[in-house]
Amino acid sequence: MVVRKRKKVERWYYIILTLAVLWNLLGVSAFAMQLLMTPEAIANLPPAERELYTNIPVWATIAFGVAVLGGTLGSVGLLLRKRWGLIVLWLSLLGVLTQMTHALLLSDALKVSGPGAAVLPTLITVVAVALIILGRNANTRHWLD
């Protein structure tokens, strides 16, 4: 059995991962709001938005959950300096890509909301990839168990 000696971690690593946990918790709250949206609230949406919301397939909702819950858990894992956090972040990225495929390519979201609707999904994808790069870098530097 090979035992790796953990090296001291830079302060910026903890700052970035604390921000990543907070970022992902925002995603968890958006996911919870989507799941808990009442029929009355859905009925009050403009017709085009109501149709978008009511036509979200179950697989896209599951992908959303995997993306945000995986992103949160993976970020916490890296914050705790655990290698499993990186694996969970890969699962989160898979969820992000699946969810964004639906949102940007398979639904009418861009038609309903305009090209500006692509900004947040793009940012979410960039952050998910950046967290994986950070995790791989941390593993290479022997910051993770």
Side-chain angles (χ1 to χ4, degrees), residues 9-27 71-81 89 127 131 134:
V9 176
E10 301 288 334
R11 180 175 291 149
W12 59 263
Y13 177 81
Y14 292 112
I15 293 169
I16 289 172
L17 282 164
T18 300
L19 293 173
V21 170
L22 295 173
W23 164 263
N24 280 290
L25 286 173
L26 289 173
T72 303
L73 184 59
S75 296
V76 168
L78 290 187
L79 191 59
L80 296 174
R81 300 176 62 184
L89 286 173
V127 170
L131 286 173
L134 175 63

Side-chain angles (χ1 to χ4, degrees), residues 51-53 55-57 59-60 99-112:
E51 184 163 336
L52 275 178
Y53 183 83
N55 289 324
I56 298 172
W59 60 264
Q99 177 196 11
M100 296 314 164
T101 297
H102 172 262
L104 297 177
L105 302 176
L106 303 176
S107 76
D108 289 334
L110 293 176
K111 188 174 162 185
V112 170

Side-chain angles (χ1 to χ4, degrees), residues 6-94:
R6 275 197 334 180
K7 294 186 177 180
K8 186 175 187 242
V9 176
E10 301 288 334
R11 180 175 291 149
W12 59 263
Y13 177 81
Y14 292 112
I15 293 169
I16 289 172
L17 282 164
T18 300
L19 293 173
V21 170
L22 295 173
W23 164 263
N24 280 290
L25 286 173
L26 289 173
V28 170
S29 70
F31 179 62
M33 286 189 288
Q34 179 177 313
L35 289 179
L36 299 173
M37 197 166 196
T38 65
E40 294 80 21
I42 295 168
N44 287 330
L45 292 172
E49 287 181 33
R50 183 174 49 244
E51 184 163 336
L52 275 178
Y53 183 83
T54 57
N55 289 324
I56 298 172
V58 172
W59 60 264
T61 301
I62 292 169
F64 187 8
V66 168
V68 298
L69 297 172
T72 303
L73 184 59
S75 296
V76 168
L78 290 187
L79 191 59
L80 296 174
R81 300 176 62 184
K82 302 296 181 186
R83 254 184 271 153
W84 57 258
L86 184 55
I87 296 166
V88 176
L89 286 173
W90 277 105
L91 293 172
S92 173
L93 178 61
L94 180 62

